[in-house]
Amino acid sequence: MQQRVINEKAIRDVLSSTRSASSQTIQAILAKAREKKGLSVKEVGFLVNLKDPALLRKLFETAGWVKDQIYGERLVFFAPLYISDFCVNDCAYCSFHASNTGLARRGLTMREIEEQTRHIINMGHKRILVEFGEDPAKSNIDYVVSAIRRIYAASTPKGTIRRVNVNIAATTLKDYKKLKQAKIGTYQLFQETYHRWTYERLHRGPKADYDRQISAYGRAFKAGIDDLGLGVLFGLYDWRFEVLALVSHAQYLEKKYNVGPHTISVPRFQPAPSVTFKPEYKVSDADFLKLIAILRIAVPYTGMIISTRESAPIRKKAFTIGISQASAASCTTIGGYGKKRKEPQFIIQDERPLEEVISDIIEKGFLPSFCTACYRLGRTGEVFMGISKPGDIHTFCRPNAILTFAEYLQDFTKNGLYEKGYTLIRHYLEKIENRTLRARTKEKLEEIKKGKRDLYF
């Protein structure tokens, strides 16, 4: 049965009716955004149609302020792990599409998964996002669950992976229950495009079922997975429509389940081997940054994710206006970490190693974070909403970011970055307003210097 989540006519009507607005109207919307309670779809419509340079600058300033109020200076890092490229779908924009007969497909063995995980751990990461193609025979749910458990079990002298987020195809309630039992973090599923005709035109195979895709979040939630991640592949359709649809979907989830998306991802189409698709709705850099700013103030509580699809300069700008999570030192080939493997899912624009990315952002005053505390302490779903909406999540984020960054500095850095990192830590320590919490954070920092690990609030 079709689930009425997205009303395309209503979105088109909003886009049409908000083509022009007075400066006073925009100023009022941006003033409302500073209340950190989000915006209506119509208010978002005015912003996506905004062209005035002075008001656009005001939009970016507001988005940066909201991001700082909710998530502060921290940037959480993770690495994707592509485990299988077996796929029965023929998606026009993906190099893993079924008709790509030139692709030497493979799925990692459990031993290879552990090897890849150890490589990621030794880079400094504590979070992994696992990626699988859809193939009921070669990448079934038992294989997925076994992979997740193997990742959690892997270790090196540098530590373990503490959170495994999952990106797999829409599936059944029974399968989602198995994912929940495997103790996943966030379940990410991108609608790719909310425009039904475009969606059905670009997909073949099980994924071509628009309703199966958009109703999957309800099945996941029913299975007990209350950390859900939304996303759109920008460039498949008009970005303005997609932004309004994303906001509509977030509001739908919040109304129906009392839990909005834990994350919203903003991947932008990139070329890939064997992909002949040419986007009709190419998103410029200016519009890409604009949509990030709009989403930040429209859904202020959500974590916003940017990948290495984007260049270092674009990522740097995006960090200031809304992004709170980012992949770094990514590999989009199966079994590609530590090896020179071809056939990526898409072309990466930011190929810098993790240490270089971190060095760059701390120069700008951002605090690197590898925190996984909320997931492990049960601050998910409604609990997460209750502390993130008013900005209280920041209370936990800063101390935990400091502690995980200190771990990274102790275990992975040398020369000047160590000193620069601790200078930044001392700066943000003094910004912890609660004196007791500040003192406890300082105590835990000393424990980390003596060799203790995995300390958090």
Side-chain angles (χ1 to χ4, degrees):
M1 183 175 67
Q2 181 176 340
Q3 194 173 15
R4 190 66 165 176
V5 179
I6 302 299
N7 187 328
E8 290 191 17
K9 182 180 182 303
I11 291 176
R12 288 195 299 269
D13 288 345
V14 168
L15 286 173
S16 178
S17 65
T18 57
R19 286 176 181 167
S20 61
S22 66
S23 174
Q24 289 80 5
T25 297
I26 299 300
Q27 296 275 12
I29 292 171
L30 296 180
K32 178 183 175 182
R34 286 179 175 262
E35 297 174 9
K36 299 176 292 184
K37 295 180 181 179
L39 300 175
S40 70
V41 173
K42 186 171 183 179
E43 288 165 336
V44 173
F46 282 116
L47 296 181
V48 300
N49 283 313
L50 182 60
K51 294 182 175 62
D52 181 89
L55 292 174
L56 283 170
R57 285 194 295 271
K58 186 77 171 178
L59 165 65
F60 289 127
E61 290 171 7
T62 303
W65 184 88
V66 170
K67 190 259 181 178
D68 185 63
Q69 290 292 305
I70 301 290
Y71 285 98
E73 66 285 337
R74 75 184 185 104
L75 284 173
V76 176
F77 287 107
F78 69 92
L81 176 55
Y82 283 72
I83 290 180
S84 171
D85 56 13
F86 289 110
C87 195
V88 296
N89 294 304
D90 230 4
C91 305
Y93 48 83
C94 177
S95 188
F96 296 165
H97 59 99
S99 59
N100 181 7
T101 56
L103 177 62
R105 298 180 189 272
R106 61 193 301 258
L108 299 180
T109 64
M110 292 300 123
R111 181 178 179 180
E112 289 173 323
I113 290 169
E114 185 170 343
E115 289 173 350
Q116 288 286 286
T117 301
R118 288 201 298 264
H119 189 90
I120 293 171
I121 292 169
N122 288 337
M123 292 164 61
H125 284 294
K126 301 299 182 187
R127 292 181 178 217
I128 279 179
L129 169 64
V130 291
E131 306 262 8
F132 298 79
E134 180 176 8
D135 189 318
K138 297 176 180 177
S139 294
N140 61 32
I141 193 64
D142 293 329
Y143 175 65
V144 172
V145 167
S146 294
I148 293 168
R149 289 176 175 157
R150 194 61 171 257
I151 291 168
Y152 277 131
S155 66
T156 81
K158 300 294 187 181
T160 61
I161 293 298
R162 300 169 184 166
R163 177 172 178 139
V164 180
N165 297 334
V166 177
N167 188 339
I168 65 168
T171 188
T172 63
L173 175 63
K174 182 179 179 181
D175 284 355
Y176 283 131
K177 287 181 178 179
K178 290 184 178 181
L179 275 185
K180 174 67 176 178
Q181 291 169 359
K183 298 182 179 180
I184 69 167
T186 302
Y187 172 56
Q188 295 183 8
L189 181 68
F190 303 162
Q191 189 62 26
E192 314 295 5
T193 173
Y194 284 95
H195 188 250
R196 182 182 289 268
W197 183 84
T198 300
Y199 181 95
E200 293 174 348
R201 180 171 64 91
L202 296 180
H203 297 93
R204 293 179 184 173
K207 190 171 178 176
D209 186 342
Y210 182 101
D211 295 318
R212 184 194 79 153
Q213 191 83 354
I214 206 164
S215 63
Y217 308 91
R219 295 190 295 279
F221 196 87
K222 189 174 181 180
I225 300 173
D226 57 6
D227 259 30
L228 302 172
L230 304 184
V232 158
L233 182 54
F234 286 99
L236 302 187
Y237 190 63
D238 183 350
W239 71 267
R240 301 174 308 148
F241 176 94
E242 305 287 21
V243 167
L244 266 66
L246 267 171
V247 174
S248 297
H249 197 177
Q251 293 177 354
Y252 171 88
L253 291 174
E254 189 173 359
K255 183 177 180 180
K256 187 172 180 63
Y257 303 109
N258 205 30
V259 176
H262 189 94
T263 60
I264 291 179
S265 298
V266 290
R268 186 165 49 155
F269 173 79
Q270 292 290 350
S274 83
V275 171
T276 59
F277 171 74
K278 303 295 182 185
E280 302 173 43
Y281 300 92
K282 191 173 181 179
V283 182
S284 69
D285 289 348
D287 284 340
F288 183 64
L289 293 171
K290 179 181 173 183
L291 71 87
I292 289 172
I294 292 170
L295 286 169
R296 168 47 65 211
I297 65 176
V299 194
Y301 59 80
T302 195
M304 287 190 65
I305 301 175
I306 196 168
S307 75
T308 51
R309 287 174 179 264
E310 300 302 331
S311 68
I314 289 295
R315 279 157 59 93
K316 191 180 299 185
K317 291 177 182 177
F319 294 154
T320 67
I321 58 171
I323 295 298
S324 57
Q325 298 185 30
S327 56
S330 303
C331 176
T332 66
T333 59
I334 309 302
Y337 286 103
K339 304 174 184 177
K340 291 185 178 179
R341 300 191 63 87
K342 298 180 180 179
E343 304 170 321
Q345 187 191 30
F346 56 85
I347 302 300
I348 287 175
Q349 300 297 318
D350 187 354
E351 297 183 299
R352 296 173 297 166
L354 178 59
E355 185 173 357
E356 187 176 335
V357 176
I358 286 176
S359 179
D360 186 38
I361 69 163
I362 66 174
E363 292 287 344
K364 301 297 180 183
F366 291 109
L367 179 61
S369 175
F370 301 89
C371 178
T372 59
C374 283
Y375 153 73
R376 297 158 78 196
L377 290 172
R379 294 196 291 257
T380 63
E382 288 191 50
V383 175
F384 177 79
M385 293 293 115
I387 56 179
S388 64
K389 281 187 174 183
D392 293 341
I393 190 68
H394 193 31
T395 303
F396 303 105
C397 289
R398 181 174 281 152
N400 287 332
I402 287 172
L403 296 175
T404 58
F405 185 39
E407 279 192 32
Y408 177 84
L409 293 173
Q410 293 296 136
D411 295 340
F412 298 98
T413 61
K414 54 186 177 181
N415 303 326
L417 183 55
Y418 182 91
E419 288 74 19
K420 289 179 181 178
Y422 267 100
T423 297
L424 189 73
I425 283 175
R426 287 190 290 271
H427 170 74
Y428 284 117
L429 261 175
E430 297 309 311
K431 289 185 175 292
I432 298 176
E433 296 179 1
N434 184 297
R435 291 183 179 181
T436 301
L437 183 58
R438 188 193 314 152
R440 290 180 64 199
T441 304
K442 289 180 179 179
E443 291 171 3
K444 289 180 185 294
L445 276 172
E446 292 306 310
E447 291 182 60
I448 287 170
K449 288 181 178 180
K450 293 175 182 177
K452 280 201 172 184
R453 294 294 179 265
D454 202 13
L455 305 177
Y456 54 88
F457 296 98

